[in-house]
Amino acid sequence: MKLYLDPGHGGSDPGASGNGLKEKEINLDIALRIRSLLTTNYENVQVKMSRTNDNTKSLQQRTDEANSWGADFYMSIHCNSFNGTANGYEDFIHNLLSNQSRTAGYQDILHSEIIKANGLYNRGQKKANFHVLRESTMAAFLSENGFIDNSKDAALMKQTSWRQKVAHGHVNGLVKAFNLKRKAGKPSDPIKHSNPNILYKVIAGSFNSKKNADARVAFLKGEGIEALVTTKTISNVRWYRVQAGAFKNRKNADERMNAIKKTGADAFIES
């Protein structure tokens, strides 16, 4: 199977942005993970990427390259944006395709596997007249992996472990859609073979201002929950994050996260 893998935007075209993140960077990170999972674990898979770094490439250049290479499938990776109020995952095929088309069948499979993995609100399967869906001569699919300007979706995007899960979801869909065969000696489900020494950190807020982070710590302590401020730099922007515990047991982390949410504060688990 020949996959043309297209991380949307790049170079002078950053795509959407929000919460200290740039779409072009998230797209590329997920796409590189998809390529690695496919080429490492599956037989008879060729992957050509529209870009492997932060360079500029037109939409026409991308579809021309995929068409001349003779790809079997075009997969375009994106993130969404809409004034901070919308959230969730959705994907697209071209709007002239019927629900009985081969491409629609691929979308059914991919959508199911990706939504299992990403933990996002399911906005559904959609159709559109996007260039990469219209001008590619092979079956083509475009995924919108959360809203970068939505604080909850963006909090997930900042997690390496979440981006890996999203990549796994895309790969699992491709495996089912194209009946890919696993290489000898590779585990049957790479998601289940994670590092046993993983640490689950409970993050109860991420702020541009340390003053706001300190206020969240004080609030949580008033609710009987210990917390501290840590820093993390993303895309050259410093974030002050409130960490309310780190656990080896996921169940314990879930319990702490739920306790925080009962106070009215947001929280998520980072691993």
Side-chain angles (χ1 to χ4, degrees), residues 13-241:
D13 174 18
S17 61
N19 296 289
L21 299 171
K22 294 179 181 178
E23 181 188 357
K24 65 178 182 178
E25 296 174 355
I26 300 298
N27 297 345
L28 180 59
D29 184 88
I30 292 171
L32 288 170
R33 292 172 187 277
I34 292 171
R35 182 181 69 172
S36 177
L37 288 168
L38 281 171
T39 57
T40 300
N41 295 295
Y42 294 93
E43 297 177 348
N44 302 318
V45 178
Q46 298 178 59
V47 179
K48 180 183 284 291
M49 294 183 64
S50 61
R51 63 185 182 94
T52 56
N53 51 38
D54 187 24
N55 65 299
T56 305
K57 198 166 194 176
S58 71
L59 295 176
Q60 193 64 55
Q61 287 176 312
R62 297 174 198 234
T63 51
D64 284 351
E65 187 173 74
N67 293 341
S68 63
W69 185 51
D72 297 308
F73 194 63
Y74 192 112
M75 175 176 277
S76 191
I77 307 299
H78 286 260
C79 301
N80 232 325
S81 176
F82 185 76
N83 75 25
T85 61
N87 67 296
Y89 170 82
E90 60 193 14
D91 47 49
F92 294 84
I93 60 174
H94 192 256
N95 60 348
L96 293 182
L97 293 169
S98 76
N99 292 336
Q100 287 71 47
S101 66
R102 180 166 52 94
T103 303
Y106 292 151
Q107 184 187 27
D108 289 343
I109 296 168
L110 283 158
H111 184 90
S112 176
E113 292 301 318
I114 294 168
I115 206 69
K116 284 180 191 176
N118 64 21
L120 294 174
Y121 169 67
N122 186 355
R123 298 174 61 86
Q125 300 171 228
K126 301 184 179 182
K127 298 179 182 181
N129 188 30
F130 298 147
H131 175 97
V132 297
L133 303 179
R134 182 183 67 248
E135 300 300 324
S136 50
T137 57
M138 70 294 303
F141 170 90
L142 184 147
S143 62
E144 293 276 9
N145 298 279
F147 282 72
I148 202 166
D149 60 346
N150 178 275
S151 60
K152 291 184 178 180
D153 284 6
L156 291 172
M157 292 179 192
K158 292 172 184 177
Q159 300 178 44
T160 301
S161 58
W162 182 83
R163 299 194 299 273
Q164 185 73 1
K165 288 177 183 177
V166 170
H168 271 299
H170 284 73
V171 169
N172 290 344
L174 290 169
V175 169
K176 288 190 174 182
F178 291 92
N179 195 29
L180 301 181
K181 303 300 181 185
R182 183 168 286 277
K183 291 180 179 179
K186 296 296 180 180
S188 60
D189 185 357
I191 289 180
K192 295 178 181 177
H193 291 260
S194 56
N195 186 346
N197 297 317
I198 194 166
L199 196 63
Y200 299 100
K201 298 179 182 179
V202 181
I203 307 300
S206 188
F207 304 90
N208 291 121
S209 163
K210 187 173 186 299
K211 181 179 178 181
N212 292 340
D214 288 339
R216 176 61 58 84
V217 168
F219 169 77
L220 291 175
K221 287 185 176 179
E223 297 290 329
I225 299 172
E226 287 298 318
L228 56 87
V229 176
T230 64
T231 60
K232 187 169 185 177
T233 300
I234 302 173
S235 300
N236 296 318
V237 176
R238 173 175 286 186
W239 291 85
Y240 297 93
R241 297 167 9 124

